[in-house]
C-alpha cells in the first residue's frame, strides 16, 4: 500500500512582498520529496505537502534560510504564538518608524525648510540619513542580496536600488563634488515604507481577528476533581478521563460526557440554536459552550487540538493560509513585474539624462520614483487578505470554508444537488402508518419489521425500532440477516424469511401487488416512505415512515432560486415520495431511486453540461458524490467539524448557510477583483507619472505604502457584508 502524503505548516519570517513568497514557494518545490508547497504572504505561512509519511523539516528550514528568510515549525498552541508574533511585528515596525521619523525630521527641516546648503548642514544630513539608510533600511539590503543571489528580484531590490542611488549621489556631492543633495529623499522614502509596513501589520491583524474571537470563546481554567479534592487548573493541564465540575454561568472547558447532574447549555456558538439545550447524564457537552442553570460533572473525552473549537480554529487557519486559483494571476504578474520595473526605471534615467539633457540629480530622482512606486506589494496582498477576512467572516457565521479554492469555486456554482435525508429533512423519521394484510395484526407487522430492522443501521430502521419499543413489543430472534443496498433488508424469524423494503425488493421476490397499490400511492403522495413487508411472495403489511422537512429548507431553496441557481434533490427513495417532498419545498428537479454508489455518477452527468455543480450532503454515505462535485458542502454534526469530504462545512446544519456561503464567495471574489484592479491601476498610472518627473521619490514611497494599506482596508470592508 502506497504511503499517504502528509502536510506540515511552517511560519515564515522576513517576507516583504509577493515576490518573496513566490521565491520561497519555487525554492521549496525544487526540494526532492516535496510534492506541493504554498506560501502565503498575508499570513506569513508555508504549507508543504511531502510525498510519503515523513516530513523533511530540516530540508525545508535550511532551504528557506539559504534564500534569506527564517522558517519555524508550527506547534499545538500555534494560534496563541501567532497572536504574540503579530503583536511583536506591529511593535517592531512602530519602533522602527518612530526612530526613522525622529532621524528624518531634522534632515527635512535642514534641506526643505531652512534650505541650508552649508557643509555643516550637509554633514549632519549625511549622518542622520545614513543611520536611516543603513540601520533602518538594512532589511532592504539583506533582502535584495538574497534575491539577487537566487537570481530574482523583489520589493527589497527596488527600494535598495532607489534609496542607495539617492543617498550615495548625495554623499558624493557632499564630500567630493560640492553639488546638489537630496538626503531627504532616501530618508523619507524609507520612513514612509516603514510606516506602510507598520500600518499594514496593524490592518492585517484586524483582518485575522476571526481566530482571535474564536480563541476568546475558550475557557482558561477547569475545575478538576483529583483524589476527591476540587482544583482549578489551566485548561492545558486537563487530561482525557479527568472529572470536571461545571457550575452555573461558567464555560465548559473541554469536550466530554456528563456523568452526574442536570443543566441547560447554550450551544449557539456551535449549533446556531438560540435556545439552551437540556443536558443530563450520558449527554455530550462541547468545550467553550456556556452552562446556564444547573451544575454537573463530566468526563473529559477530547482535549487540546481534538476539541470541536480547536477543529474549527484549525480549519479556519488552514483556509487562511491557502491560495485561491485566482492568485496564480498575481503570482505570474509579480514574477515578471520587478525585472520589468528595473528596466523601465533605467530607460527613464537614460531618457532624462542623455536624451533630454537634464541634470544628473533630476534623472536620478525620476529613476528612483519609478523604482519605488512600482513595488508589487498591493498586488501580492490583493487575494490573501480578502481570503483571510472572507474565511474569518464565514467561521463567525457557522460556515467553515476549508480553502481558497472552495471559496472561489462557490462563486461559480450554477447547480446544487441536495441529498434528501438529513440534509433537506431533519433525518429523524417517524412511523406514521402501519397497515396489516393477510390475517395478521398491525402490531405483528411492526414487531416483525422492527425485529428484522434491529440489525440495520439505516435511519428508517431507528424509527421502526423506536415505535416498537413505544408499544412495548417483544423483538423476535432473527438469523440470516442481509441488507440489500438501495432496496431494503431481509432476515429469517421463526423459520420464515421476511423481506422489508421498497417496491423493487418485493418485485424481485415475486410478490405481486395489485389491490394494495392505491393505498401505497396515497401514502407516497403524502411524502411518506412506504416499506412493504413480504414473505413467501405475499404482502403482509406496510410500514409508512415520514421524515419532517427542516423549517428553513423552503426559505433556503427560494433564496437560491432568486440567485438563479438550479436545485436538484437526489435520493434513494421512490419517485412519488420524492416528488411530494420536492413540491413541498419548491425544489426544481428530482433524481429518485438512485443507489448510493450512483449518486456520484449523477453529479458527473450534470457537470458534463458545462456548469459548475455543488453537492450538499451529510458527509457519510454521500462522500463519493461530494468528492465528485466541483464543490462539496457538508452538513456538520456539531461535533464532527473536520469532515474530509467537503470543501465547506455548515456547522449549524442550517441550509440557509448554503446561501450564506455563496453570498460570501461572491463578495470575496468581488473584493479580490477590486484589489487587483486598483493595484494594477495604481502601478499603471503611477509609473508614467513618476517617469515624467511629476512625482518626488519620497512621495512615491508614501503612495506605494498607502496602496498596500488601502488594499488590506478594502478587504476588511468584507466584514460589513450582510449574509
Amino acid at each position: 500500500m502506497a504511503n499517504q502524503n502528509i502536510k506540515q505548516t511552517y511560519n515564515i519570517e522576513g517576507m516583504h512582498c509577493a515576490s518573496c513568497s513566490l521565491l520561497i514557494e519555487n525554492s521549496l518545490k525544487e526540494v526532492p520529496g516535496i510534492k506541493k508547497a504554498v506560501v502565503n504572504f498575508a499570513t506569513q505561512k508555508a504549507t508543504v505537502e511531502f510525498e510519503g509519511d515523513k516530513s523533511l523539516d530540516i530540508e525545508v528550514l535550511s532551504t528557506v534560510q539559504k534564500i534569506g528568510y527564517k522558517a519555524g515549525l508550527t506547534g499545538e498552541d500555534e494560534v496563541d504564538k501567532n497572536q504574540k508574533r503579530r503583536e511583536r511585528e506591529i511593535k517592531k515596525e512602530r519602533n522602527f518608524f518612530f526612530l526613522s521619523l525622529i532621524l528624518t525630521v531634522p534632515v527635512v527641516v535642514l534641506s526643505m525648510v531652512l534650505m541650508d546648503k552649508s557643509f555643516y548642514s550637509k554633514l549632519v544630513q549625511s549622518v542622520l540619513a545614513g543611520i536611516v539608510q543603513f540601520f533602518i533600511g538594512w532589511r532592504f539590503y539583506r533582502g535584495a542580496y538574497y534575491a539577487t543571489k537566487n537570481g530574482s528580484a523583489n520589493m527589497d531590490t527596488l527600494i535598495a536600488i532607489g534609496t542607495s542611488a539617492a543617498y550615495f549621489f548625495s554623499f558624493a556631492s557632499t564630500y567630493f563634488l560640492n553639488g546638489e543633495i537630496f538626503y531627504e529623499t532616501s530618508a523619507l522614502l524609507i520612513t514612509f515604507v516603514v510606516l506602510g509596513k507598520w500600518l499594514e501589520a496593524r490592518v492585517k491583524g484586524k483582518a485575522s481577528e476571526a481566530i482571535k474571537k474564536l480563541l476568546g470563546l475558550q475557557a482558561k481554567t477547569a475545575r478538576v476533581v483529583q483524589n476527591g479534592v476540587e482544583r482549578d487548573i489551566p485548561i492545558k493541564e486537563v487530561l482525557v478521563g479527568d472529572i470536571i465540575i461545571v457550575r452555573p454561568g461558567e464555560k465548559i472547558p473541554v469536550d466530554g460526557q456528563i456523568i452526574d447532574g442536570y443543566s441547560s447549555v447554550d450551544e449557539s456558538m456551535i449549533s446556531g440554536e438560540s435556545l439552551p439545550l437540556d443536558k443530563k447524564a450520558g449527554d455530550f457537552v462541547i468545550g467553550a459552550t456556556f452552562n446556564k442553570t444547573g451544575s454537573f460533572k463530566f468526563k473529559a473525552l477530547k482535549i487540546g487540538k481534538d476539541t470541536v473549537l480547536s477543529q474549527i480554529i484549525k480549519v479556519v487557519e488552514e483556509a487562511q493560509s491557502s491560495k485561491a486559483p485566482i492568485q496564480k494571476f498575481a503570482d505570474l504578474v509579480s514574477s515578471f513585474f520587478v525585472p520589468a520595473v528595473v528596466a523601465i526605471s533605467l530607460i527613464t534615467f537614460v531618457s532624462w539624462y542623455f536624451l533630454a539633457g537634464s541634470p544628473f540629480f533630476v534623472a536620478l530622482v525620476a529613476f528612483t520614483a519609478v523604482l519605488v512606486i512600482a513595488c508589487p506589494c498591493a498586488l501580492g496582498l490583493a487575494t490573501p487578505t480578502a481570503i483571510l477576512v472572507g474565511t474569518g467572516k464565514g467561521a463567525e457565521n457557522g460556515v467553515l470554508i476549508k480553502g481558497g479554492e472552495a471559496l472561489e469555486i462557490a462563486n461559480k456554482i450554477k447547480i446544487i444537488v441536495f441529498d434528501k435525508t438529513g440534509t433537506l429533512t431533519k433525518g429523524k423519521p417517524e412511523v406514521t402508518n402501519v397497515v396489516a394484510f393477510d390475517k395478521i395484526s398491525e402490531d405483528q407487522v411492526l414487531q416483525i419489521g422492527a425485529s428484522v430492522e434491529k440489525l440495520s443501521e439505516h435511519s428508517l430502521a431507528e424509527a421502526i425500532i423506536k415505535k416498537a419499543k413505544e408499544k412495548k413489543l417483544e423483538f423476535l430472534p432473527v438469523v440470516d440477516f442481509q441488507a440489500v443496498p438501495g432496496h431494503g433488508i431481509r432476515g429469517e424469524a421463526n423459520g420464515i424469511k421476511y423481506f422489508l423494503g421498497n417496491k423493487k425488493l418485493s418485485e424481485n421476490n415475486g410478490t405481486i401487488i395489485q389491490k394494495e397499490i392505491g393505498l401505497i400511492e396515497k401514502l407516497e403522495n403524502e411524502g411518506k416512505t412506504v416499506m412493504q413487508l413480504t414473505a413467501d411472495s405475499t404482502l403482509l403489511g406496510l410500514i409508512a415512515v415520514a421524515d419532517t422537512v427542516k423549517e428553513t429548507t423552503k426559505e433556503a431553496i427560494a433564496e437560491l432560486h432568486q440567485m438563479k441557481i438550479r436545485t436538484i434533490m437526489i435520493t434513494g427513495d421512490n419517485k412519488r415520495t420524492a416528488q411530494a417532498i420536492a413540491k413541498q419545498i419548491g425544489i426544481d428537479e428530482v433524481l429518485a431511486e438512485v443507489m448510493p454508489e450512483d449518486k456520484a455518477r449523477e453529479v458527473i452527468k450534470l457537470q458534463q453540461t458545462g456548469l459548475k455543480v455543488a453537492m450538499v450532503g451529510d458527509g457519510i454515505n454521500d462522500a463519493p458524490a461530494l468528492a465528485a462535485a466541483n464543490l462539496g458542502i457538508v452538513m456538520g454534526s456539531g461535533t464532527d467539524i473536520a469532515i474530509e469530504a467537503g470543501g465547506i462545512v455548515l456547522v449549524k446544519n442550517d441550509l440557509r448557510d448554503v446561501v450564506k456561503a455563496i453570498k460570501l464567495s461572491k463578495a470575496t471574489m468581488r473584493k479580490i477583483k477590486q484589489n487587483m484592479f486598483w493595484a494594477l491601476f495604481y502601478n499603471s498610472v503611477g509609473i508614467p507619472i513618476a517617469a515624467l518627473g511629476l512625482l518626488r521619490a519620497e512621495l512615491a514611497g508614501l503612495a506605494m505604502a498607502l496602496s498596500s494599506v488601502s488594499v488590506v482596508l478594502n478587504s476588511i470592508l468584507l466584514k460589513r457584508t450582510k449574509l
Side-chain angles (χ1 to χ4, degrees):
M1 184 178 175
N3 288 328
Q4 188 175 4
N5 296 329
I6 63 168
K7 283 184 181 180
Q8 176 67 53
T9 304
Y10 302 85
N11 297 307
I12 306 292
E13 293 182 34
M15 290 194 293
H16 298 140
C17 66
S19 299
C20 298
S21 60
L22 205 57
L23 172 62
I24 298 170
E25 193 171 288
N26 291 335
S27 299
L28 288 173
K29 287 176 180 176
E30 292 175 3
V31 176
I34 291 180
K35 184 179 180 182
K36 185 179 179 183
V38 175
V39 180
N40 190 300
F41 172 45
T43 59
Q44 302 281 297
K45 288 184 183 294
T47 303
V48 182
E49 185 174 332
F50 303 98
E51 294 176 346
D53 58 357
K54 288 185 179 179
S55 62
L56 303 169
D57 294 330
I58 295 175
E59 288 83 348
V60 170
L61 300 181
S62 62
T63 299
V64 174
Q65 188 173 12
K66 281 177 187 174
I67 56 177
Y69 304 90
K70 290 182 181 179
L73 282 164
T74 56
E76 190 172 317
D77 54 349
E78 191 56 33
V79 180
D80 281 329
K81 288 181 180 177
N82 282 342
Q83 292 293 329
K84 291 175 182 175
R85 195 180 296 115
R86 193 173 290 115
E87 288 167 6
R88 284 199 305 270
E89 180 190 0
I90 293 171
K91 187 177 180 180
K92 182 187 78 173
E93 297 295 358
R94 181 200 65 192
N95 293 344
F96 270 130
F97 166 67
F98 282 115
L99 176 59
S100 187
L101 184 65
I102 289 167
L103 294 168
T104 300
V105 167
V107 176
V108 173
V109 170
L110 287 169
S111 64
M112 300 179 73
V113 179
L114 300 177
M115 295 186 182
D116 188 348
K117 297 185 179 181
S118 66
F119 178 75
Y120 175 76
S121 172
K122 292 179 179 179
L123 175 66
V124 172
Q125 289 181 57
S126 70
V127 172
L128 295 177
I131 297 171
V132 174
Q133 183 73 33
F134 302 110
F135 177 67
I136 308 293
W138 174 248
R139 68 171 87 176
F140 305 121
Y141 285 106
R142 185 176 182 277
Y145 165 74
Y146 279 107
T148 306
K149 182 182 175 183
N150 290 282
S152 66
N154 58 15
M155 181 194 108
D156 295 328
T157 308
L158 299 180
I159 294 175
I161 294 173
T163 56
S164 295
Y167 181 82
F168 285 117
F169 174 78
S170 300
F171 189 86
S173 294
T174 299
Y175 296 101
F176 304 106
L177 305 176
N178 194 28
E180 292 287 339
I181 62 167
F182 44 102
Y183 287 114
E184 77 281 355
T185 297
S186 62
L188 277 172
L189 209 159
I190 289 175
T191 300
F192 286 145
V193 171
V194 175
L195 169 63
K197 288 295 170 189
W198 175 35
L199 295 175
E200 187 182 303
R202 288 188 65 183
V203 293
K204 277 200 295 186
K206 290 183 179 179
S208 58
E209 277 180 351
I211 291 180
K212 191 175 181 180
K213 285 182 180 178
L214 289 170
L215 270 177
L217 296 172
Q218 196 172 45
K220 301 293 184 285
T221 61
R223 186 171 293 106
V224 178
V225 180
Q226 295 177 336
N227 299 320
V229 179
E230 295 180 19
R231 288 182 58 234
D232 285 338
I233 64 172
I235 193 170
K236 292 179 182 178
E237 295 179 13
V238 175
L239 302 175
V240 172
D242 278 351
I243 305 302
I244 300 171
I245 295 176
V246 182
R247 292 172 181 165
E250 293 181 343
K251 284 184 178 178
I252 296 167
V254 296
D255 300 357
Q257 186 175 26
I258 296 177
I259 57 174
D260 183 41
Y262 179 88
S263 185
S264 61
V265 176
D266 179 0
E267 292 188 349
S268 56
M269 57 83 70
I270 295 293
S271 65
E273 176 60 54
S274 57
L275 295 175
L277 301 175
D278 291 336
K279 297 284 184 177
K280 60 184 185 303
D283 289 341
F284 288 89
V285 288
I286 300 170
T289 55
F290 190 74
N291 182 36
K292 300 284 284 186
T293 54
S295 298
F296 59 86
K297 289 182 182 178
F298 76 97
K299 184 177 182 180
L301 298 180
K302 290 183 179 179
I303 61 171
K305 62 182 177 59
D306 296 323
T307 64
V308 170
L309 182 63
S310 294
Q311 287 181 37
I312 292 174
I313 291 172
K314 181 184 177 185
V315 169
V316 175
E317 271 217 309
E318 287 179 352
Q320 293 183 341
S321 298
S322 68
K323 278 189 178 183
I326 197 172
Q327 177 69 28
K328 291 178 183 177
F329 172 73
D331 289 345
L332 180 65
V333 172
S334 296
S335 64
F336 293 103
F337 201 74
V338 175
V341 168
V342 173
I344 293 170
S345 63
L346 290 171
I347 293 170
T348 300
F349 178 83
V350 170
S351 299
W352 277 99
Y353 188 63
F354 292 104
L355 300 181
S358 299
F360 183 83
F361 78 89
V362 172
L364 196 60
V365 168
F367 165 82
T368 304
V370 171
L371 280 175
V372 174
I373 201 166
C375 287
C377 299
L379 186 62
L381 289 166
T383 300
T385 52
I387 290 175
L388 199 69
V389 178
T391 52
K393 184 172 180 65
E396 290 171 11
N397 285 272
V399 179
L400 295 186
I401 300 166
K402 297 172 74 175
E405 187 173 355
L407 186 64
E408 182 173 337
I409 199 69
N411 172 61
K412 302 173 183 176
I413 294 300
K414 296 298 180 185
I415 301 174
I416 299 183
V417 180
F418 294 91
D419 174 50
K420 180 175 76 73
T421 307
T423 303
L424 295 170
T425 65
K426 292 180 179 178
K428 296 180 180 178
E430 294 181 354
V431 173
T432 58
N433 305 81
V434 179
V435 181
F437 305 116
D438 202 44
K439 298 179 182 178
I440 68 170
S441 68
E442 291 179 0
D443 280 357
Q444 284 178 304
V445 170
L446 186 59
Q447 181 188 39
I448 296 167
S451 299
V452 180
E453 287 282 19
K454 198 172 183 183
L455 299 174
S456 172
E457 295 180 353
H458 198 279
S459 59
L460 297 181
E462 293 179 18
I464 297 170
I465 294 165
K466 181 183 176 184
K467 189 70 173 178
K469 286 180 177 178
E470 286 175 2
K471 289 205 160 197
K472 298 181 180 178
L473 300 176
E474 184 181 345
F475 289 89
L476 304 173
V478 174
V479 296
D480 194 24
F481 171 84
Q482 183 181 344
V484 184
H487 292 155
I489 56 170
R490 72 178 189 185
E492 185 178 322
N494 296 331
I496 302 172
K497 287 186 178 179
Y498 293 102
F499 297 83
L500 182 66
N502 57 24
K503 181 182 175 184
K504 287 185 178 179
L505 183 67
S506 299
E507 289 174 348
N508 291 342
N509 298 321
T511 304
I512 300 172
I513 302 167
Q514 291 179 338
K515 61 181 180 180
E516 298 89 357
I517 196 71
L519 176 58
I520 293 172
E521 289 179 359
K522 177 179 177 294
L523 292 170
E524 288 177 345
N525 286 333
E526 293 171 0
K528 297 171 182 176
T529 300
V530 181
M531 287 173 282
Q532 303 169 15
L533 179 66
T534 62
D536 298 325
S537 302
T538 302
L539 180 62
L540 302 178
L542 306 175
I543 300 177
V545 177
D547 187 4
T548 311
V549 172
K550 291 178 181 176
E551 291 83 358
T552 57
T553 296
K554 189 173 182 179
E555 181 185 342
I557 298 299
E559 287 191 53
L560 290 171
H561 288 161
Q562 288 178 1
M563 299 168 75
K564 309 296 183 188
I565 293 175
R566 180 175 154 206
T567 56
I568 298 174
M569 179 173 76
I570 192 165
T571 178
D573 219 333
N574 66 81
K575 289 182 181 179
R576 194 171 284 106
T577 301
Q579 289 287 0
I581 293 174
K583 185 178 179 181
Q584 183 183 341
I585 60 178
I587 212 155
D588 293 326
E589 189 179 331
V590 173
L591 298 173
E593 300 178 16
V594 179
M595 304 285 282
E597 63 270 21
D598 292 333
K599 287 183 180 180
R601 196 174 296 119
E602 293 294 339
V603 168
I604 293 168
K605 278 184 190 176
L606 292 167
Q607 289 172 320
Q608 288 169 351
T609 63
L611 299 175
K612 300 295 183 186
V613 180
M615 171 72 190
V616 185
D618 59 18
I620 304 168
N621 59 345
D622 297 317
L626 288 163
N630 298 101
L631 175 65
I633 302 177
V634 184
M635 306 300 287
S637 65
T639 55
D640 185 18
I641 301 303
I643 301 170
E644 295 297 325
I648 295 178
V649 180
L650 308 181
V651 179
K652 300 175 185 175
N653 276 328
D654 190 335
L655 276 182
R656 290 176 299 185
D657 289 346
V658 173
V659 179
K660 286 183 181 179
I662 294 172
K663 283 183 178 178
L664 182 60
S665 170
K666 290 182 181 295
T668 305
M669 292 308 297
R670 276 197 302 271
K671 284 296 176 191
I672 289 173
K673 289 171 184 176
Q674 287 171 10
N675 289 346
M676 284 188 168
F677 171 79
W678 287 113
L680 292 171
F681 177 80
Y682 156 80
N683 286 125
S684 301
V685 173
I687 291 173
I689 290 174
L692 290 170
L694 301 175
L695 188 66
R696 288 184 62 91
E698 59 269 30
L699 295 179
L702 179 60
M704 182 272 289
L706 293 180
S707 71
S708 297
V709 174
S710 67
V711 162
V712 182
L713 286 173
N714 188 44
S715 294
I716 289 174
L717 289 176
L718 259 176
K719 291 183 177 183
R720 300 170 67 180
T721 302
K722 290 184 179 179
L723 299 179

